[in-house]
Amino acid sequence: MKTKKVLTSNLKPGMVSSEAAYTYTNHLVIQSNTTLTPEIIDKLKYYAVKSVRVYIPDEDAPKEKEKNTPTDTPQEKAPVSHGPSFDGPTYFERVQQTEQFVEFKDNFTSSISSFKDELNDIVAKNATDVTDNMLHEVDSILGRTRNSLHLLDMMQCLRGFDDLTYTHSMNVALICNVIGSWAGFSKDDLNTLMLCGLLHDIGKLKIPAEIIQKPGKLTDEEFDLIRSHPKLGYDILRSKNLDDRIKLAALQHHERYDGKGYPRQLAGIEINEYASIVAIADVYDAMTSNRIYRKGICPFTVISMFEKEKDLYNPHYLYLFMKRLVEAYVNTEVILSNNERGKIVLLNQNLLSRPVVITDKKTYDLSRDFSVDITALI
């Protein structure tokens, strides 16, 4: 049977994958020979899987060729996060057009350059006196934002940054600041938490860059090496004059609350509290990065995926993060998957990703009506 590569935005329920699909960090999303369902397609979008190779029946192959379908030409397809068409700038496009965003982007770029040198100094020169400078870089970025939601919106709109260790670690630190602030952390604890984010992936600097940046599927040996970065990071930090929570965040940020993480398969309260916050920030950044081809994921799509995998994370901090994030979008206008334009008027506490939306035609309680989704903020 023949196969073809199909953009994730063009996948249809019932299609069957002809090979496994991986995230850009080479984590398995689906196995080969998986029959796609709406939930699986959502998961592929959630993890920013750009395309999937699927089987096509032999009798359909010539027909597909004759049609010259644009499935392999992403420039001809609207970004996946936008769903229905909309005349005018979206919520995040309007953010990008602000003077504050231009200043934020310039400051972010400058801070990443300094942070890169400081992180390398810890590894190469055994430096321990650069953490204050690192926190200064974070504070400089935070100073360009009005509040936590504004910060997340600015980060959502950044484009063109390769998701290398440095940019990703800065993003995780910023998201940790958001979670810690919402949790009421003291200034000292917040600084410690942000250092946890800044240093959580330092072990990746011990892994050859060609493996970290490899665009294709990793070999088993390469994948095992990638999975060793928490232990490598802990080994770098273990003897340094740093708070133990920072060292444990490096070691435990891939542990999961259900005990199926790595490297030690810790579960529940066995995982350090700060490491469990870094885990949430780490995954959130992974979901909202790699934005060049899709102009950002709708926050409600992100929250939906967290809800589906809630057993993997510290429930207190996960629910706090989701709740505060969606609360900020009450009274925001949205586009629904049926092309109707409406306004979020009420949250469903038990299903935060599916609020009540009022349009000109009717009121949708999305926690009861699963035929309609929020596809974009406007």
Side-chain angles (χ1 to χ4, degrees):
M1 185 176 290
K2 295 185 178 181
T3 68
K4 67 176 180 180
K5 185 185 293 184
V6 178
L7 287 178
T8 304
S9 56
N10 290 344
L11 292 173
K12 303 295 183 185
M15 289 180 172
V16 179
S17 63
S18 62
E19 61 185 20
Y22 295 81
T23 69
Y24 72 98
T25 54
N26 287 284
H27 289 81
L28 180 68
V29 180
I30 59 171
Q31 299 276 8
S32 60
N33 298 308
T34 297
T35 301
L36 302 183
T37 65
E39 292 75 22
I40 291 175
I41 294 172
D42 283 345
K43 187 173 184 178
L44 290 164
K45 293 177 181 178
Y46 165 81
Y47 282 113
V49 176
K50 192 172 183 179
S51 61
V52 175
R53 186 164 290 280
V54 300
Y55 291 110
I56 54 173
D58 291 337
E59 62 271 19
D60 290 346
K63 189 180 298 184
E64 290 291 327
K65 187 174 182 180
E66 291 170 6
K67 285 182 179 179
N68 192 25
T69 57
T71 53
D72 289 327
T73 54
Q75 67 272 20
E76 297 178 24
K77 189 70 181 176
V80 300
S81 63
H82 279 215
S85 60
F86 169 64
D87 294 329
T90 66
Y91 179 92
F92 290 115
E93 287 170 340
R94 291 200 304 275
V95 172
Q96 281 185 304
Q97 295 166 5
T98 64
E99 182 179 343
Q100 294 96 326
F101 176 74
V102 175
E103 293 177 355
F104 176 87
K105 184 176 180 180
D106 289 345
N107 191 262
F108 186 92
T109 304
S110 175
S111 295
I112 287 295
S113 178
S114 298
F115 171 60
K116 179 179 179 178
D117 294 337
E118 292 153 1
L119 197 63
N120 285 326
D121 281 348
I122 292 180
V123 177
K125 301 179 181 179
N126 200 32
T128 57
D129 57 351
V130 295
T131 54
D132 286 344
N133 292 336
M134 288 181 170
L135 288 173
H136 175 74
E137 302 301 340
V138 179
D139 287 339
S140 177
I141 296 172
L142 293 172
R144 302 288 179 175
T145 61
R146 297 189 299 270
N147 51 46
S148 295
L149 177 65
H150 189 228
L151 170 63
L152 292 174
D153 283 349
M154 292 290 193
M155 292 173 64
Q156 184 89 354
C157 291
L158 283 173
R159 302 256 200 325
F161 285 97
D162 293 329
D163 189 32
L164 303 176
T165 300
Y166 311 104
T167 302
H168 172 65
S169 296
M170 179 63 77
N171 289 346
V172 171
L174 291 168
I175 298 165
C176 282
N177 174 275
V178 170
I179 298 174
S181 297
W182 284 345
F185 279 29
S186 69
K187 178 62 176 176
D188 286 345
D189 286 343
L190 202 56
N191 283 340
T192 299
L193 179 60
M194 288 190 293
L195 284 172
C196 288
L198 289 168
L199 298 176
H200 80 286
D201 263 353
I202 194 170
K204 287 185 177 178
L205 300 184
K206 289 288 190 179
I207 299 173
E210 59 268 23
I211 295 179
I212 295 291
Q213 301 174 35
K214 184 176 178 180
K217 182 181 177 182
L218 295 176
T219 65
D220 290 343
E221 292 78 12
E222 290 169 338
F223 189 64
D224 288 341
L225 186 56
I226 290 287
R227 284 171 61 96
S228 73
H229 79 268
K231 179 63 165 57
L232 293 173
Y234 181 74
D235 289 342
I236 293 170
L237 301 176
R238 179 169 49 186
S239 61
K240 293 185 169 44
N241 184 26
L242 293 170
D243 190 297
D244 284 344
R245 292 170 291 186
I246 299 171
K247 302 172 185 179
L248 289 175
L251 180 64
Q252 298 178 0
H253 67 276
H254 280 290
E255 301 287 359
R256 292 296 178 258
Y257 241 56
D258 64 353
K260 296 180 181 177
Y262 65 91
R264 297 175 57 198
Q265 292 78 53
L266 302 179
I269 61 173
E270 293 178 317
I271 304 169
N272 178 266
E273 179 183 23
Y274 283 48
S276 71
I277 296 174
V278 172
I280 295 169
D282 184 33
V283 172
Y284 182 83
D285 186 60
M287 286 188 290
T288 54
S289 292
N290 195 23
R291 294 178 287 260
I292 292 174
Y293 75 93
R294 55 168 165 76
K295 292 190 177 181
I297 295 175
C298 176
F300 287 90
T301 302
V302 177
I303 297 304
S304 175
M305 302 313 298
F306 265 132
E307 287 174 333
K308 292 173 183 176
E309 300 188 354
K310 62 182 182 298
D311 293 339
L312 304 184
Y313 307 101
N314 182 307
H316 171 69
Y317 292 111
L318 180 64
Y319 184 77
L320 170 69
F321 182 55
M322 294 192 302
K323 183 173 183 292
R324 291 295 298 271
L325 183 60
V326 299
E327 281 177 348
Y329 293 112
V330 173
N331 294 321
T332 297
E333 288 190 282
V334 297
I335 296 178
L336 299 178
S337 55
N338 62 3
N339 286 308
E340 290 185 40
R341 176 173 175 164
K343 180 181 289 188
I344 298 170
V345 296
L346 186 67
L347 300 180
N348 287 301
Q349 298 298 326
N350 294 325
L351 202 56
L352 291 165
S353 65
R354 304 192 66 81
V356 176
V357 177
I358 292 180
T359 73
D360 291 338
K361 295 182 178 180
K362 63 180 291 187
T363 297
Y364 293 92
D365 183 348
L366 300 184
S367 69
R368 298 174 180 271
D369 186 351
F370 284 83
S371 66
V372 181
D373 300 298
I374 295 174
T375 59
L377 305 179
I378 57 175

